[in-house]
């Protein structure tokens, strides 16, 4: 395929993904037809890139995981204090994840929970290293080993996204609340966790 056509196809694919995310945020049951209309392309074009709605959602989940991994790494980069590194990484991840939180519900229908866990494994391993460092230094305390604690934190963040989706938690409070909750479950006193999350979330 000539380069011009490749570039155009890539641009079409990116546009379809961007429009699909917007449409799914507005209507989680949006069909491929709706997404095609909103993207200004015919349905055949959408199916040319994504053979099914499940494949489209799966690609969006892959994009979300990639963004989460980058945010996690950037959030804790160069931060020596494990508690601050953990809080900063959660706040950075939440800022990205909030855009994708409707995908949690959608992905559980089409990608499967196991598929989400598999995609998040590299992020979980990095988080476990941070937690292990904090546990070794006595900054964190937990009856759980670091890998299990990282898994609990991952599931906590997913549950908080669902809480926002269900209207149980205000979106503007969610990032700060998520950071404080994760710190608390790592054994940081609640008052210290809340103060640190609030300071970093200004």
């Amino acid at each position: 395929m000539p380069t011009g056509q490749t570039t155009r196809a890539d641009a079409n694919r990116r546009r379809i993904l961007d429009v699909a995310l917007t449409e799914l945020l507005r209507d989680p049951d949006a069909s491929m037809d709706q997404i095609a209309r909103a993207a200004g392309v015919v349905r055949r074009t959408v199916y040319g890139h994504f053979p099914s709605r499940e494949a489209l959602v799966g690609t969006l989940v892959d994009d979300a995981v990639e963004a989460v991994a980058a945010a996690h790494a950037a959030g804790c980069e160069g931060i020596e204090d494990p508690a601050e590194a953990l809080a900063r990484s959660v706040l950075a991840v939440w800022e990205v994840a909030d855009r994708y939180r409707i995908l949690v519900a959608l992905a559980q229908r089409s990608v499967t929970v196991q598929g989400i866990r598999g995609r998040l494994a590299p992020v979980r391993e990095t988080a476990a290293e941070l937690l292990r460092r904090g546990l070794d230094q006595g900054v964190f305390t937990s009856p759980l080993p670091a890998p299990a604690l990282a898994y609990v934190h991952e599931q906590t963040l997913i549950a908080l996204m669902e809480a926002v989706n269900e209207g149980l938690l205000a979106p503007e409070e969610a990032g700060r609340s998520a950071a404080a909750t994760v710190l608390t479950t790592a054994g940081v006193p609640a008052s210290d966790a809340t103060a640190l999350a609030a300071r970093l979330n200004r």
Side-chain angles (χ1 to χ4, degrees), residues 5 35 105 123 193:
Q5 288 182 348
I35 291 167
V123 180

Side-chain angles (χ1 to χ4, degrees), residues 2 16 22 29 45 83 92 104-105 139 151 167 183-184 188:
I16 289 166
T22 300
D29 294 316
T45 301
V104 172
V139 175
Y151 181 80
L183 286 168
T184 303
V188 176

Side-chain angles (χ1 to χ4, degrees), residues 58-199:
T59 302
L60 286 171
V61 171
D62 286 340
D63 284 357
V65 169
E66 189 176 312
V68 163
H72 172 75
C76 57
E77 184 179 8
I79 307 297
E80 289 299 319
D81 174 44
E84 182 175 343
L86 181 59
R88 285 187 183 278
S89 70
V90 171
L91 288 167
V93 163
W94 191 271
E95 192 170 324
V96 172
D98 187 54
R99 168 172 161 77
Y100 292 102
R101 58 187 156 79
I102 196 65
L103 293 179
V104 172
L106 293 172
Q108 287 175 347
R109 293 185 220 166
S110 57
V111 179
T112 77
V113 174
Q114 195 59 43
I116 297 172
R117 288 175 186 160
R119 285 166 164 83
L120 287 171
V123 180
R124 191 161 56 246
E125 288 167 12
T126 304
E129 284 301 316
L130 171 58
L131 291 168
R132 190 175 290 113
R133 180 159 61 91
L135 289 166
D136 289 345
Q137 293 177 13
V139 175
F140 303 141
T141 57
S142 174
L144 298 174
L149 187 56
Y151 181 80
V152 168
H153 286 171
E154 175 188 301
Q155 296 303 304
T156 298
L157 291 176
I158 289 174
L160 287 172
M161 288 179 208
E162 291 176 336
V164 175
N165 287 342
E166 294 295 322
L168 303 173
L169 180 63
E172 61 272 14
E173 297 173 6
R176 184 177 66 252
S177 297
T181 299
V182 167
L183 286 168
T184 303
T185 57
V188 176
S191 58
D192 294 346
T194 302
L196 178 57
R199 176 169 64 82

